[in-house]
Amino acid sequence: MKSMKEFAYHSGIKLRIYPSRKQKTLIFRNANAARYIYNKMVALGKERYLLKKTAALCPADAARLDYVESIYGSATGISNMAPFLNEPGIDAQAKANAIQNYRKAWNHFRDAPGAGAPTFRRRKTEFSYQTNPHYKKGAMDMNDANARFEDMYHMILPILGRIRVKGSPARMQRLFKMNQYIRIGTITVFCDASGRYFVSLQLASDVPFFDPLPKTGSSRGYDLNLDNFYTDSDGNVVDNPHFLKERLAKLQKAQRKLSRMAERAKKEKRDLGECKNYQKQKAKVAKLHLQVRSIRLDFQQVLSKREVESQDLLCFENLAVRNLIKNHKLARVISDVSWSQFVSLCEAKAHAYGKQFVKVDPKQTTQMCSSCGHILKGENKLTLKDRFWTCPICGTFHVRDENAAKNILAKGALSLLA
């Protein structure tokens, strides 16, 4: 069977799973094993870096460096250091993926400006690990592997065995129709902060996962802002739902209660892991955060699908959100509106359904007249308070956000012609 890279189309699916008590224990053990190996790689990497400086001068350091080099990046070598990693129930692929993720973290550090070097992963309420299916020799489809679907409600996973799953009925039916054309790649099993379990599957096929949507002959630019969620080039305005703001009082009350419990436990010198009431309250706070996240995601999923269905070309600003949230007065509001997530959803859906998606440089999109191209400068430059303005050259009256959306659309259309 072909490798994942050799297939023409790639997609993914996230499913809710309902493991038994034994399967929950296996998930927890494999997640801890993966975290242990990742942290061991971080420690060995730091030791290796320091030993290289002194190995030429100190024979003991040279001998230690040889030993570190022999086990660095070796799942077998690290497993021999910690016998629990060789126990039944520990997935060998989980160990290999932990080392691979460490190497990817270093590559990301070298390639992405502002990315940090790999650091130790602390134990959290949520946990995960990655594995890969094994395909039989001469395998033709995903049924010839130790990771496969039995039916729409059950699947087989490595180490875990048969497990109940729940997903979108439409997506699941589509997968079963494409069964003989699909290969399953990396599998991520994880538990979130509220104790729900999920599995995420990477999929590859030579057949498209989605049927292309019909062309509408329409295109739009979108100006993302805080007064409303966005304003498009046709003058349509979508209000900002303020999901976090509506639930902030309840969340703050729960967090204050959690903080008081932590302070009391600290005074009494008790371990927080053994404080049952603290752990219950911590789960309540996590659940409130997940509710906000889920409601926001559902809103953006529906909105992005609607826009992709109605437009052939979608043009957005390429906003540096990481820099914008450095403004502490606006950080919470910007995080709540979640522009990056919405843009990513629109981009993914546009590519999946055969539509065009463009990101443009936001420079001068607000200060430029969409009718004549005049750019406001000096004293005439717009401030955040200016929501309406009239072009001093052509006399066109502009709504600030709509004008910016028109300029974004023009830039996006021009970039496709270049």
Side-chain angles (χ1 to χ4, degrees), residues 293-306:
R293 189 191 309 170
S294 298
I295 296 169
R296 182 192 296 122
L297 179 60
D298 181 68
F299 166 77
Q300 294 188 359
Q301 289 277 20
V302 174
L303 191 60
S304 59
K305 182 66 179 299
R306 187 191 75 183

Side-chain angles (χ1 to χ4, degrees), residues 111-386:
D111 299 337
T119 57
F120 293 109
R121 291 178 174 176
R122 64 185 180 89
R123 182 173 176 176
K124 297 181 180 180
T125 310
E126 60 269 21
F127 48 87
S128 66
Y129 74 95
Q130 290 182 322
T131 185
N132 299 90
H134 285 289
Y135 285 86
K136 299 176 183 177
K137 189 175 181 180
M140 299 301 295
D141 56 46
M142 68 177 178
N143 286 328
D144 296 324
N146 63 345
R148 61 187 183 275
F149 288 97
E150 278 195 339
D151 51 52
M152 287 184 60
Y153 307 101
H154 298 90
M155 72 176 301
I156 305 294
L157 290 175
I159 299 296
L160 299 179
R162 188 172 186 265
I163 195 167
R164 188 161 67 93
V165 300
K166 181 181 178 182
S168 165
R171 287 293 306 275
M172 297 298 287
Q173 289 174 2
R174 176 74 174 172
L175 283 179
F176 275 95
K177 288 181 180 178
M178 298 174 60
N179 186 20
Q180 59 181 328
Y181 307 108
I182 291 179
R183 177 188 174 102
I184 297 177
T186 303
I187 301 168
T188 304
V189 182
F190 61 98
C191 173
D192 67 15
S194 65
R196 299 180 302 175
Y197 289 82
F198 297 89
V199 62
S200 177
L201 308 174
Q202 289 183 357
L203 306 173
S205 175
D206 285 326
V207 178
F209 287 94
F210 304 93
D211 296 325
L213 291 171
K215 302 296 183 182
T216 61
S218 180
S219 57
R220 274 182 186 167
Y222 300 85
D223 177 62
L224 304 170
N225 52 81
L226 293 176
D227 283 351
N228 45 67
F229 188 70
Y230 72 70
T231 302
D232 65 33
S233 52
D234 294 334
N236 302 311
V237 177
V238 175
D239 294 330
N240 188 349
H242 295 291
F243 294 117
L244 178 60
K245 185 178 179 180
E246 291 181 358
R247 295 158 182 81
L248 191 59
K250 188 175 181 180
L251 182 59
Q252 287 176 335
K253 184 178 179 180
Q255 287 176 325
R256 283 195 297 268
K257 186 175 180 180
L258 183 69
S259 180
R260 287 195 297 268
M261 287 181 172
E263 289 178 2
R264 182 181 298 175
K266 187 177 180 181
K267 288 180 181 178
E268 297 175 359
K269 296 182 179 180
R270 290 186 296 153
D271 183 13
L272 290 178
E274 298 176 356
C275 300
K276 292 184 179 180
N277 288 336
Y278 175 84
Q279 296 300 330
K280 288 179 182 178
Q281 185 63 22
K282 187 178 179 181
K284 289 180 181 179
V285 173
K287 190 173 182 180
L288 288 172
H289 279 293
L290 287 171
Q291 284 177 354
V292 175
R293 189 191 309 170
S294 298
I295 296 169
R296 182 192 296 122
L297 179 60
D298 181 68
F299 166 77
Q300 294 188 359
Q301 289 277 20
V302 174
L303 191 60
S304 59
K305 182 66 179 299
R306 187 191 75 183
E307 293 303 311
V308 170
E309 286 177 338
S310 62
Q311 308 299 319
D312 290 345
L313 171 64
L314 295 88
C315 303
F316 284 86
E317 302 169 272
N318 189 12
L319 293 174
V321 178
R322 183 177 293 181
N323 295 332
L324 293 174
I325 59 176
K326 291 179 181 178
N327 182 340
H328 297 295
K329 294 182 179 179
L330 299 175
R332 186 165 64 193
V333 183
I334 293 173
S335 298
D336 185 21
V337 75
S338 192
W339 291 323
S340 296
Q341 179 175 264
F342 177 68
V343 173
S344 297
L345 288 172
C346 288
E347 183 176 13
K349 286 180 172 61
H351 292 322
Y353 292 108
K355 300 299 183 75
Q356 291 181 306
F357 178 93
V358 177
K359 282 185 181 180
V360 302
D361 184 358
K363 186 178 181 181
Q364 304 297 355
T365 53
T366 302
Q367 308 293 336
M368 184 171 65
C369 172
S370 58
S371 298
C372 67
H374 174 68
I375 299 175
L376 299 177
K377 296 180 180 179
E379 296 180 355
N380 295 327
K381 197 171 183 179
L382 300 177
T383 63
L384 288 174
K385 295 180 181 179
D386 300 323

